[in-house]
Amino acid sequence: MRGRTPYHCLLFAFLCYVVGGGAISEFRICAFSMNKFDTQKTFHYKVLHTLTRIVSRCDIAFLQQVVDSDGSLIKSLVASLNRYSGREAQRYEGYHYNSVSSANLGKPNDLQKYVFIYRTETAHVTAQQQYQKQNQFLRAPLAVYFHSNRTTIKNFVLVGLHTDPSSTVQEINRLYDVFEEVLKKWNNKNVMFLGNFHASCAYMTRRDKKQIRLFTNTSFHWLIKDKMDTTITDETNCAYDRIVVHGKSFLKAIEPFSAGVFDFPREYKLSKTKAQEVSSHLPVEVRLKSSALLLQAKHLLVLLALCCLFL
Ligand SMILES: *[C@@H]1O[C@H](CO)[C@@H](O)[C@H](O)[C@H]1NC(C)=O
Ligand SMILES: *[C@@H]1O[C@H](CO)[C@@H](O)[C@H](O)[C@H]1NC(C)=O
Protein backbone atom coordinates (compact mmCIF):
# COMPACT_ATOMS: atom_id res chain seq x y z
CA MET A 1 0.00 0.00 0.00
CA ARG A 2 2.91 2.33 -0.62
CA GLY A 3 2.12 5.58 -2.29
CA ARG A 4 -1.38 5.73 -0.79
CA THR A 5 -1.90 8.70 1.43
CA PRO A 6 -4.86 9.76 3.51
CA TYR A 7 -5.49 12.16 0.66
CA HIS A 8 -6.05 9.26 -1.80
CA CYS A 9 -8.21 7.53 0.71
CA LEU A 10 -10.38 10.59 1.14
CA LEU A 11 -10.64 11.08 -2.59
CA PHE A 12 -11.63 7.44 -3.10
CA ALA A 13 -14.28 7.60 -0.40
CA PHE A 14 -15.59 10.86 -1.77
CA LEU A 15 -15.90 9.37 -5.26
CA CYS A 16 -17.81 6.40 -3.88
CA TYR A 17 -20.07 8.82 -2.08
CA VAL A 18 -20.75 10.91 -5.17
CA VAL A 19 -21.33 7.89 -7.42
CA GLY A 20 -23.58 6.23 -4.83
CA GLY A 21 -25.36 9.47 -3.98
CA GLY A 22 -26.18 10.16 -7.60
CA ALA A 23 -28.47 7.15 -7.70
CA ILE A 24 -30.50 8.33 -4.72
CA SER A 25 -33.70 10.09 -5.56
CA GLU A 26 -34.83 12.97 -3.48
CA PHE A 27 -38.31 13.23 -2.03
CA ARG A 28 -40.25 16.03 -3.67
CA ILE A 29 -43.61 17.47 -2.60
CA CYS A 30 -45.43 19.70 -5.09
CA ALA A 31 -48.61 21.76 -5.27
CA PHE A 32 -50.19 22.82 -8.53
CA SER A 33 -53.20 25.06 -9.08
CA MET A 34 -54.72 23.95 -12.33
CA ASN A 35 -57.19 26.68 -13.44
CA LYS A 36 -59.96 24.14 -13.79
CA PHE A 37 -58.56 20.88 -14.96
CA ASP A 38 -61.46 19.18 -16.71
CA THR A 39 -62.08 16.54 -19.35
CA GLN A 40 -61.56 19.07 -22.10
CA LYS A 41 -57.97 19.26 -20.96
CA THR A 42 -57.32 15.52 -20.78
CA PHE A 43 -58.60 15.12 -24.30
CA HIS A 44 -56.02 17.63 -25.35
CA TYR A 45 -53.11 15.23 -25.66
CA LYS A 46 -50.36 17.82 -25.22
CA VAL A 47 -51.85 19.23 -22.03
CA LEU A 48 -52.16 15.77 -20.51
CA HIS A 49 -48.58 15.01 -21.54
CA THR A 50 -47.20 18.19 -19.96
CA LEU A 51 -49.16 17.59 -16.78
CA THR A 52 -47.91 14.01 -16.68
CA ARG A 53 -44.30 15.20 -16.92
CA ILE A 54 -44.84 17.79 -14.19
CA VAL A 55 -46.51 15.39 -11.75
CA SER A 56 -44.07 12.55 -12.48
CA ARG A 57 -41.27 14.61 -10.88
CA CYS A 58 -43.04 14.58 -7.51
CA ASP A 59 -43.29 11.91 -4.85
CA ILE A 60 -46.46 13.63 -3.72
CA ALA A 61 -48.36 16.20 -5.80
CA PHE A 62 -51.32 18.19 -4.57
CA LEU A 63 -53.61 19.25 -7.44
CA GLN A 64 -56.33 21.86 -7.10
CA GLN A 65 -59.29 22.96 -9.18
CA VAL A 66 -59.89 19.50 -10.55
CA VAL A 67 -63.32 19.32 -12.19
CA ASP A 68 -63.99 15.61 -12.18
CA SER A 69 -67.36 14.66 -10.73
CA ASP A 70 -67.10 10.93 -11.52
CA GLY A 71 -63.34 10.52 -10.99
CA SER A 72 -62.63 9.43 -14.57
CA LEU A 73 -60.31 12.35 -15.22
CA ILE A 74 -57.92 11.51 -12.40
CA LYS A 75 -58.09 7.88 -13.43
CA SER A 76 -56.78 8.80 -16.86
CA LEU A 77 -54.08 11.05 -15.40
CA VAL A 78 -52.88 8.27 -13.08
CA ALA A 79 -52.94 5.80 -15.99
CA SER A 80 -50.92 8.24 -18.07
CA LEU A 81 -48.41 8.62 -15.20
CA ASN A 82 -48.02 4.86 -14.87
CA ARG A 83 -47.47 4.48 -18.62
CA TYR A 84 -44.99 7.37 -18.68
CA SER A 85 -43.10 6.06 -15.68
CA GLY A 86 -43.03 2.59 -17.29
CA ARG A 87 -41.31 4.04 -20.34
CA GLU A 88 -38.92 6.11 -18.24
CA ALA A 89 -38.11 3.01 -16.21
CA GLN A 90 -35.70 1.98 -18.94
CA ARG A 91 -33.62 4.99 -17.94
CA TYR A 92 -34.60 5.71 -14.36
CA GLU A 93 -36.52 4.07 -11.58
CA GLY A 94 -40.07 3.27 -12.63
CA TYR A 95 -42.79 4.24 -10.19
CA HIS A 96 -46.44 3.45 -9.75
CA TYR A 97 -48.87 6.19 -8.87
CA ASN A 98 -52.04 6.30 -6.88
CA SER A 99 -54.39 9.07 -5.79
CA VAL A 100 -56.54 10.32 -2.92
CA SER A 101 -59.36 12.74 -3.75
CA SER A 102 -61.75 14.91 -1.78
CA ALA A 103 -65.46 14.98 -2.50
CA ASN A 104 -66.75 17.55 -4.99
CA LEU A 105 -66.52 20.81 -3.07
CA GLY A 106 -67.82 24.36 -3.53
CA LYS A 107 -70.90 25.89 -5.06
CA PRO A 108 -73.20 23.48 -6.95
CA ASN A 109 -72.46 25.18 -10.25
CA ASP A 110 -68.69 25.16 -9.63
CA LEU A 111 -67.71 21.89 -7.99
CA GLN A 112 -64.02 21.07 -7.72
CA LYS A 113 -61.87 18.44 -6.08
CA TYR A 114 -58.59 18.33 -4.25
CA VAL A 115 -56.37 15.47 -5.34
CA PHE A 116 -53.14 14.09 -3.96
CA ILE A 117 -51.19 11.88 -6.38
CA TYR A 118 -48.32 9.92 -4.87
CA ARG A 119 -45.73 7.28 -5.73
CA THR A 120 -46.68 4.01 -4.11
CA GLU A 121 -43.02 3.00 -3.77
CA THR A 122 -42.06 6.03 -1.68
CA ALA A 123 -45.21 7.22 0.08
CA HIS A 124 -47.98 5.45 1.90
CA VAL A 125 -51.35 6.94 2.89
CA THR A 126 -52.05 6.16 6.52
CA ALA A 127 -55.32 8.12 6.78
CA GLN A 128 -57.22 11.02 5.35
CA GLN A 129 -59.62 13.58 6.77
CA GLN A 130 -61.91 16.09 5.16
CA TYR A 131 -62.24 19.18 7.35
CA GLN A 132 -65.85 19.11 8.48
CA LYS A 133 -66.70 22.75 9.20
CA GLN A 134 -67.69 23.42 5.60
CA ASN A 135 -69.08 26.89 6.37
CA GLN A 136 -65.57 28.09 7.29
CA PHE A 137 -64.24 27.57 3.79
CA LEU A 138 -65.63 27.66 0.26
CA ARG A 139 -63.73 24.37 -0.23
CA ALA A 140 -62.63 22.99 3.11
CA PRO A 141 -59.08 21.62 3.24
CA LEU A 142 -58.24 17.96 2.75
CA ALA A 143 -55.70 16.52 5.20
CA VAL A 144 -53.77 13.36 4.36
CA TYR A 145 -51.54 11.54 6.81
CA PHE A 146 -48.54 10.15 4.93
CA HIS A 147 -45.84 7.71 5.88
CA SER A 148 -42.55 7.46 4.02
CA ASN A 149 -39.47 5.47 4.85
CA ARG A 150 -37.47 7.47 2.29
CA THR A 151 -37.48 10.67 4.33
CA THR A 152 -35.83 11.56 7.62
CA ILE A 153 -39.25 12.58 8.90
CA LYS A 154 -41.25 9.38 8.64
CA ASN A 155 -44.80 10.49 9.38
CA PHE A 156 -46.28 13.80 8.33
CA VAL A 157 -49.58 15.41 7.47
CA LEU A 158 -50.24 17.42 4.32
CA VAL A 159 -53.14 19.88 4.43
CA GLY A 160 -54.15 21.10 0.98
CA LEU A 161 -56.23 24.21 0.40
CA HIS A 162 -57.23 26.44 -2.49
CA THR A 163 -58.69 29.55 -0.92
CA ASP A 164 -61.73 31.48 -2.03
CA PRO A 165 -60.19 34.68 -3.43
CA SER A 166 -62.92 36.76 -1.80
CA SER A 167 -62.14 35.50 1.72
CA THR A 168 -58.49 34.57 1.47
CA VAL A 169 -57.37 36.21 4.71
CA GLN A 170 -60.09 34.53 6.80
CA GLU A 171 -59.49 31.15 5.22
CA ILE A 172 -55.72 31.19 5.71
CA ASN A 173 -56.29 32.26 9.31
CA ARG A 174 -58.64 29.30 9.84
CA LEU A 175 -55.91 26.89 8.81
CA TYR A 176 -54.78 27.22 12.42
CA ASP A 177 -58.07 25.60 13.52
CA VAL A 178 -57.48 22.85 11.00
CA PHE A 179 -53.99 22.40 12.46
CA GLU A 180 -55.44 21.96 15.95
CA GLU A 181 -57.97 19.42 14.71
CA VAL A 182 -55.34 17.41 12.83
CA LEU A 183 -53.08 17.48 15.87
CA LYS A 184 -55.90 16.18 18.08
CA LYS A 185 -56.87 13.46 15.62
CA TRP A 186 -53.47 12.02 14.72
CA ASN A 187 -51.27 13.38 17.51
CA ASN A 188 -48.66 14.45 14.97
CA LYS A 189 -47.27 17.99 14.82
CA ASN A 190 -45.46 17.53 11.53
CA VAL A 191 -47.98 19.40 9.44
CA MET A 192 -47.44 21.04 6.05
CA PHE A 193 -49.98 23.37 4.43
CA LEU A 194 -49.87 23.78 0.68
CA GLY A 195 -51.81 25.13 -2.26
CA ASN A 196 -52.98 28.29 -3.90
CA PHE A 197 -53.77 30.48 -0.90
CA HIS A 198 -53.98 33.64 -3.08
CA ALA A 199 -51.56 34.86 -0.42
CA SER A 200 -50.25 37.90 -2.26
CA CYS A 201 -50.97 41.05 -4.24
CA ALA A 202 -54.52 42.36 -3.81
CA TYR A 203 -55.89 39.29 -1.98
CA MET A 204 -53.53 39.38 0.99
CA THR A 205 -51.59 42.53 1.81
CA ARG A 206 -48.76 42.97 4.28
CA ARG A 207 -51.19 44.51 6.75
CA ASP A 208 -53.49 41.47 6.57
CA LYS A 209 -50.73 39.27 7.97
CA LYS A 210 -51.36 40.66 11.46
CA GLN A 211 -54.72 38.88 11.46
CA ILE A 212 -53.40 35.53 10.31
CA ARG A 213 -52.30 33.10 13.01
CA LEU A 214 -50.08 31.22 10.56
CA PHE A 215 -48.02 34.43 10.42
CA THR A 216 -48.30 35.74 13.97
CA ASN A 217 -47.37 32.39 15.49
CA THR A 218 -43.67 31.83 14.88
CA SER A 219 -44.02 28.03 14.95
CA PHE A 220 -45.12 28.22 11.32
CA HIS A 221 -42.50 28.62 8.60
CA TRP A 222 -43.44 30.01 5.20
CA LEU A 223 -41.10 28.30 2.75
CA ILE A 224 -42.39 30.03 -0.38
CA LYS A 225 -41.49 33.66 0.28
CA ASP A 226 -43.46 36.82 -0.55
CA LYS A 227 -41.07 37.80 -3.34
CA MET A 228 -41.54 34.64 -5.38
CA ASP A 229 -43.71 34.76 -8.48
CA THR A 230 -45.90 31.67 -8.77
CA THR A 231 -47.73 32.90 -11.86
CA ILE A 232 -46.86 32.57 -15.52
CA THR A 233 -48.19 35.80 -16.96
CA ASP A 234 -45.98 38.86 -17.35
CA GLU A 235 -48.66 41.09 -15.87
CA THR A 236 -48.70 39.38 -12.49
CA ASN A 237 -45.85 38.98 -10.05
CA CYS A 238 -47.51 37.38 -7.04
CA ALA A 239 -46.70 34.63 -4.54
CA TYR A 240 -50.18 33.11 -4.58
CA ASP A 241 -49.13 29.50 -4.10
CA ARG A 242 -47.49 28.64 -0.80
CA ILE A 243 -45.96 25.92 1.30
CA VAL A 244 -45.94 26.36 5.09
CA VAL A 245 -44.62 23.90 7.65
CA HIS A 246 -45.25 23.69 11.35
CA GLY A 247 -42.53 23.09 13.88
CA LYS A 248 -38.78 22.80 14.14
CA SER A 249 -38.62 19.09 13.42
CA PHE A 250 -40.40 19.45 10.09
CA LEU A 251 -38.22 22.43 9.21
CA LYS A 252 -35.12 20.36 9.94
CA ALA A 253 -36.37 17.61 7.62
CA ILE A 254 -36.56 20.03 4.69
CA GLU A 255 -33.67 20.21 2.24
CA PRO A 256 -32.31 23.78 2.71
CA PHE A 257 -33.14 26.21 -0.10
CA SER A 258 -35.17 23.57 -1.96
CA ALA A 259 -38.46 25.48 -1.85
CA GLY A 260 -39.39 27.23 -5.07
CA VAL A 261 -41.37 27.17 -8.26
CA PHE A 262 -40.93 24.70 -11.09
CA ASP A 263 -40.66 26.83 -14.21
CA PHE A 264 -42.14 24.24 -16.57
CA PRO A 265 -42.55 26.63 -19.54
CA ARG A 266 -38.80 27.19 -19.49
CA GLU A 267 -37.87 23.56 -18.69
CA TYR A 268 -40.11 22.15 -21.40
CA LYS A 269 -39.54 25.03 -23.83
CA LEU A 270 -43.21 26.00 -24.04
CA SER A 271 -44.44 29.44 -25.01
CA LYS A 272 -46.39 31.26 -22.30
CA THR A 273 -49.56 30.81 -24.33
CA LYS A 274 -49.03 27.05 -24.63
CA ALA A 275 -48.11 26.79 -20.95
CA GLN A 276 -51.29 28.59 -19.97
CA GLU A 277 -53.34 25.87 -21.59
CA VAL A 278 -52.15 23.81 -18.63
CA SER A 279 -52.31 26.54 -15.97
CA SER A 280 -51.62 30.20 -15.35
CA HIS A 281 -49.72 29.13 -12.22
CA LEU A 282 -46.34 27.50 -11.76
CA PRO A 283 -46.18 24.48 -9.46
CA VAL A 284 -44.49 25.14 -6.12
CA GLU A 285 -42.34 22.46 -4.53
CA VAL A 286 -40.04 21.54 -1.70
CA ARG A 287 -37.72 18.59 -1.08
CA LEU A 288 -37.47 16.53 2.07
CA LYS A 289 -34.15 15.19 3.24
CA SER A 290 -33.68 11.61 2.21
CA SER A 291 -33.18 8.90 4.80
CA ALA A 292 -31.15 7.04 2.15
CA LEU A 293 -28.67 9.88 2.19
CA LEU A 294 -28.20 9.38 5.91
CA LEU A 295 -27.55 5.73 5.23
CA GLN A 296 -25.10 6.80 2.55
CA ALA A 297 -23.25 9.01 5.01
CA LYS A 298 -22.91 6.03 7.34
CA HIS A 299 -21.53 3.96 4.48
CA LEU A 300 -19.05 6.71 3.77
CA LEU A 301 -17.77 6.53 7.33
CA VAL A 302 -17.39 2.75 7.11
CA LEU A 303 -15.55 3.09 3.81
CA LEU A 304 -13.25 5.70 5.27
CA ALA A 305 -12.51 3.53 8.27
CA LEU A 306 -11.81 0.46 6.08
CA CYS A 307 -9.62 2.33 3.70
CA CYS A 308 -7.64 3.94 6.47
CA LEU A 309 -7.01 0.46 7.92
CA PHE A 310 -5.13 -0.43 4.76
CA LEU A 311 -2.92 2.61 4.81
C1 LIG B 1 -40.92 1.30 2.72
O1 LIG B 1 -42.13 1.79 2.17
C2 LIG B 1 -42.63 1.03 1.10
C3 LIG B 1 -43.83 1.74 0.54
O2 LIG B 1 -44.68 2.22 1.51
C4 LIG B 1 -42.96 -0.39 1.60
O3 LIG B 1 -43.44 -1.15 0.53
C5 LIG B 1 -41.70 -0.99 2.17
O4 LIG B 1 -41.99 -2.25 2.71
C6 LIG B 1 -41.11 -0.10 3.24
N1 LIG B 1 -39.84 -0.64 3.66
C7 LIG B 1 -39.53 -0.76 4.94
C8 LIG B 1 -38.18 -1.31 5.23
O5 LIG B 1 -40.29 -0.45 5.84
C1 LIG C 1 -48.34 28.78 18.44
O1 LIG C 1 -48.63 27.47 18.00
C2 LIG C 1 -48.20 26.47 18.90
C3 LIG C 1 -48.42 25.14 18.26
O2 LIG C 1 -47.18 24.65 17.89
C4 LIG C 1 -48.93 26.61 20.22
O3 LIG C 1 -48.49 25.61 21.12
C5 LIG C 1 -48.64 27.96 20.77
O4 LIG C 1 -49.40 28.16 21.93
C6 LIG C 1 -49.01 29.04 19.76
N1 LIG C 1 -48.53 30.32 20.25
C7 LIG C 1 -49.33 31.36 20.37
C8 LIG C 1 -48.69 32.61 20.87
O5 LIG C 1 -50.51 31.31 20.07
Side-chain angles (χ1 to χ4, degrees):
M1 290 283 153
R2 253 191 305 154
R4 301 239 170 130
T5 63
Y7 172 73
H8 286 105
C9 159
L10 268 174
L11 188 69
F12 172 67
F14 179 71
L15 281 176
C16 290
Y17 181 69
V18 169
V19 170
I24 298 224
S25 55
E26 43 212 1
F27 194 95
R28 185 181 274 117
I29 298 177
C30 318
F32 195 20
S33 180
M34 302 285 309
N35 291 12
K36 299 224 179 137
F37 176 52
D38 54 22
T39 33
Q40 245 182 331
K41 283 193 179 173
T42 34
F43 289 133
H44 193 324
Y45 169 76
K46 281 201 171 138
V47 171
L48 181 64
H49 181 64
T50 304
L51 184 60
T52 301
R53 288 176 81 186
I54 292 171
V55 174
S56 73
R57 299 170 58 256
C58 312
D59 288 272
I60 302 174
F62 173 59
L63 304 182
Q64 306 134 67
Q65 298 212 288
V66 177
V67 183
D68 184 27
S69 55
D70 64 356
S72 60
L73 183 58
I74 287 303
K75 224 172 166 178
S76 51
L77 175 61
V78 169
S80 166
L81 275 161
N82 286 329
R83 274 198 308 275
Y84 181 77
S85 174
R87 278 201 306 276
E88 293 291 297
Q90 288 151 15
R91 290 191 287 143
Y92 308 111
E93 276 177 279
Y95 291 108
H96 296 90
Y97 295 82
N98 211 339
S99 68
V100 175
S101 300
S102 72
N104 296 304
L105 304 168
K107 300 194 185 94
N109 62 351
D110 187 12
L111 291 170
Q112 299 174 11
K113 278 181 176 170
Y114 295 132
V115 180
F116 284 94
I117 295 183
Y118 60 95
R119 292 174 173 168
T120 55
E121 286 82 3
T122 61
H124 172 78
V125 171
T126 307
Q128 70 183 89
Q129 161 88 341
Q130 173 67 57
Y131 190 65
Q132 288 306 323
K133 292 182 189 135
Q134 296 285 348
N135 58 346
Q136 303 284 298
F137 295 90
L138 175 59
R139 296 186 178 86
L142 175 65
V144 179
Y145 192 8
F146 280 100
H147 168 79
S148 175
N149 49 24
R150 291 270 183 112
T151 55
T152 57
I153 193 157
K154 298 278 176 260
N155 298 295
F156 50 88
V157 180
L158 301 189
V159 176
L161 171 69
H162 181 276
T163 63
D164 176 5
S166 64
S167 44
T168 285
V169 175
Q170 294 88 329
E171 289 198 359
I172 303 174
N173 182 40
R174 287 173 191 145
L175 280 176
Y176 189 86
D177 305 322
V178 179
F179 168 75
E180 287 192 316
E181 193 185 274
V182 159
L183 186 60
K184 206 161 71 192
K185 186 169 176 68
W186 291 321
N187 192 29
N188 190 321
K189 288 187 179 174
N190 304 325
V191 180
M192 175 186 284
F193 305 91
L194 70 174
N196 179 1
F197 298 171
H198 297 99
S200 188
C201 294
Y203 302 116
M204 191 200 80
T205 62
R206 213 145 47 132
R207 219 167 21 166
D208 291 327
K209 286 183 179 179
K210 294 196 189 86
Q211 316 170 35
I212 297 177
R213 286 167 288 174
L214 253 56
F215 277 108
T216 55
N217 187 318
T218 52
S219 305
F220 297 91
H221 307 278
W222 289 66
L223 303 179
I224 303 292
K225 306 289 184 199
D226 294 349
K227 287 218 166 65
M228 273 184 198
D229 182 8
T230 71
T231 66
I232 289 182
T233 51
D234 291 325
E235 300 83 59
T236 48
N237 190 343
C238 309
Y240 289 143
D241 303 79
R242 301 289 193 137
I243 298 177
V244 180
V245 292
H246 170 263
K248 282 224 165 65
S249 47
F250 211 151
L251 194 61
K252 268 194 209 143
I254 304 277
E255 196 65 49
F257 310 111
S258 67
V261 294
F262 176 58
D263 191 348
F264 72 92
R266 202 186 59 198
E267 295 288 329
Y268 301 155
K269 300 188 175 62
L270 298 173
S271 67
K272 288 199 172 170
T273 321
K274 281 276 171 241
Q276 281 180 69
E277 288 173 9
V278 184
S279 178
S280 60
H281 289 245
L282 295 172
V284 288
E285 61 178 47
V286 73
R287 294 198 309 272
L288 302 191
K289 285 181 187 160
S290 166
S291 58
L293 225 52
L294 264 185
L295 210 68
Q296 206 78 15
K298 278 180 203 152
H299 288 165
L300 176 67
L301 282 178
V302 172
L303 257 172
L304 262 175
L306 274 178
C307 144
C308 295
L309 269 181
F310 286 110
L311 275 173

